[in-house]
Amino acid sequence: MITLKSPSEIEKLQESADLVSEVQNQMIALAEPGLPTIELDRLAEKVIRDAGAQPVFKGYRGFPFTVCISINEEVVHGFPSKRKLKEGDIVSMDVGARYQGYVGDCARTIAIGSVAPEEDSLIRQAYHALREACKVVQVGKRLGDVSHTVERIARQFNYGVVQDFVGHGVGREMHEDPQVPNFGRPGTGQRLKAGLVICIEPMFNLGTYEVEILEDRWTVVTKDRRKSVHVEDMVALLPDGPRVLSSADGAIYPDDVNENSNAVSSS
Ligand code: MG
C-alpha cells in the first residue's frame, strides 16, 4: 500500500535527504586512489551519528555496514573493506540514514581518476536517466512512465538494465511501496499522486542485464563481470510537480549528455 506523505512529512524527509546528501558530498571529497573503502564507511557513520541520526542500512536484514560500496562489476550491496580504491575504478556509494523518524537514501557513482570513454558514458547516462525520470514524477503520470524513462535511455546505448533490484517508496521505512523498476511500459501502473515520495535508482551495465550474488550473500555483481553503475535520488511529488530531495554533488557529472551521440542502435 502506498502511503502518501503530508507536507510536514515531506519537510522531514527533506532534512533526512539533506543529511545523506552531506554524507555523499564528504565521501566524494575523500575518495581517491589508495583509500581503503572502509574509510568511507567510517566517515559516513560518524557524520550520521554526529547529526543525531542512525545508519539505516546497518543491521538491515543483517547488513553489517553503514554504506554499500560497489566497485566496477559490483552492482549494489558491496561491502566496504580494506580494499583500496585505484585509478580507473568506478565506485557506487549508497547510504541511508533515519533522522527524526524519517529515512534518507541516496547513491552516487564516481570514477576514480580517468576511466575509459565507454565507462564515462555509462556513468553520465545513468545520471541523465535519473534526472529525466525525476522530471516525470507528475500528478496524473503513471509509475510505468517513470520506469520507462530510465529504460528508454539505457536501451539507446544498449546498456543492460538490472531487473532484479528496483527503486522504492520511502518514508518512515526505507523500503515502502511502490516498487520502482528501471523498466516498464508507458501509461501503465499506479497513477502518481501528490504526497508520493520515491527513490529512483537506475542500475546500468555495460554488458548483460543479468546479475548474481557472491558468496558473502550480499554483493551483487554482473554475470559477465562487465562494469555497472548505480545512482539514486529521492523525489517527492508536490501539487505543482516533482521536488528532488537529495542534492548530493551531481556537478561532477553535469547533465550535458546528448542522448543521440554515441548511441548504438538497439537490437
Ligand atoms: Mg534505495
Side-chain angles (χ1 to χ4, degrees):
M1 191 186 73
I2 297 175
T3 313
L4 299 174
K5 275 69 181 182
S6 68
S8 69
E9 287 182 299
I10 290 174
E11 289 312 313
K12 289 256 175 63
L13 284 160
Q14 176 68 72
E15 291 184 41
S16 305
D18 288 345
L19 175 59
V20 289
S21 299
E22 172 63 20
V23 173
Q24 286 289 354
N25 287 338
Q26 292 198 29
M27 290 196 296
I28 290 166
L30 186 66
E32 62 175 17
L35 184 86
T37 60
I38 192 70
E39 295 298 330
L40 298 168
D41 192 78
R42 291 203 182 106
L43 170 70
E45 181 162 6
K46 179 169 176 16
V47 173
I48 289 168
R49 295 205 189 276
D50 284 355
Q54 299 85 42
V56 72
F57 294 178
K58 202 168 197 170
Y60 181 83
R61 296 186 181 173
F63 188 81
F65 299 99
T66 294
V67 294
C68 301
I69 300 288
S70 308
I71 303 174
N72 298 334
E73 76 279 7
E74 298 169 355
V75 181
V76 288
H77 303 166
F79 288 175
S81 71
K82 292 181 193 163
R83 176 177 176 177
K84 291 175 178 169
L85 296 176
K86 63 180 200 304
E87 176 95 14
D89 282 341
I90 58 179
V91 185
S92 156
M93 306 179 291
D94 191 357
V95 63
R98 181 178 277 108
Y99 180 56
Q100 298 176 345
Y102 288 85
V103 171
D105 185 8
C106 176
R108 290 290 180 262
T109 290
I110 58 169
I112 303 300
S114 59
V115 297
E118 65 172 3
E119 295 165 6
D120 185 69
S121 176
L122 183 73
I123 297 173
R124 288 176 189 281
Q125 295 297 343
Y127 279 107
H128 177 63
L130 176 58
R131 290 172 179 131
E132 291 300 304
C134 286
K135 292 178 195 167
V136 177
V137 180
Q138 303 273 355
V139 174
K141 294 276 191 190
R142 290 172 180 264
L143 210 49
D145 298 317
V146 176
S147 296
H148 177 74
T149 301
V150 176
E151 180 180 16
R152 173 178 59 77
I153 291 167
R155 295 262 178 254
Q156 282 178 327
F157 293 83
N158 260 357
Y159 296 148
V161 181
V162 174
Q163 304 198 352
D164 293 2
F165 298 88
V166 298
H168 50 90
V170 63
R172 287 189 170 274
E173 299 304 325
M174 174 164 62
H175 291 150
E176 298 187 357
D177 288 338
Q179 291 199 339
V180 185
N182 291 311
F183 56 94
R185 295 214 323 271
T188 64
Q190 295 263 4
R191 277 187 198 282
L192 308 186
K193 294 178 181 162
L196 181 77
V197 184
I198 55 175
C199 289
I200 301 174
E201 37 188 325
M203 297 164 212
F204 286 1
N205 302 342
L206 272 183
T208 180
Y209 72 96
E210 290 183 283
V211 298
E212 56 193 27
I213 298 177
L214 296 184
E215 278 178 9
D216 64 19
R217 295 169 61 215
W218 278 102
T219 309
V220 178
V221 297
T222 55
K223 206 159 191 176
D224 59 8
R225 302 299 191 267
R226 295 191 71 193
K227 291 189 179 177
S228 181
V229 166
H230 167 229
V231 294
E232 173 183 19
D233 270 324
M234 293 168 68
V235 57
L237 179 45
L238 306 184
D240 59 348
R243 188 214 283 179
V244 182
L245 302 180
S246 42
S247 60
D249 195 353
I252 46 175
Y253 294 104
D255 201 0
D256 58 0
V257 299
N258 179 349
E259 283 180 31
N260 298 314
S261 71
N262 305 320
V264 292
S265 57
S266 56
S267 51

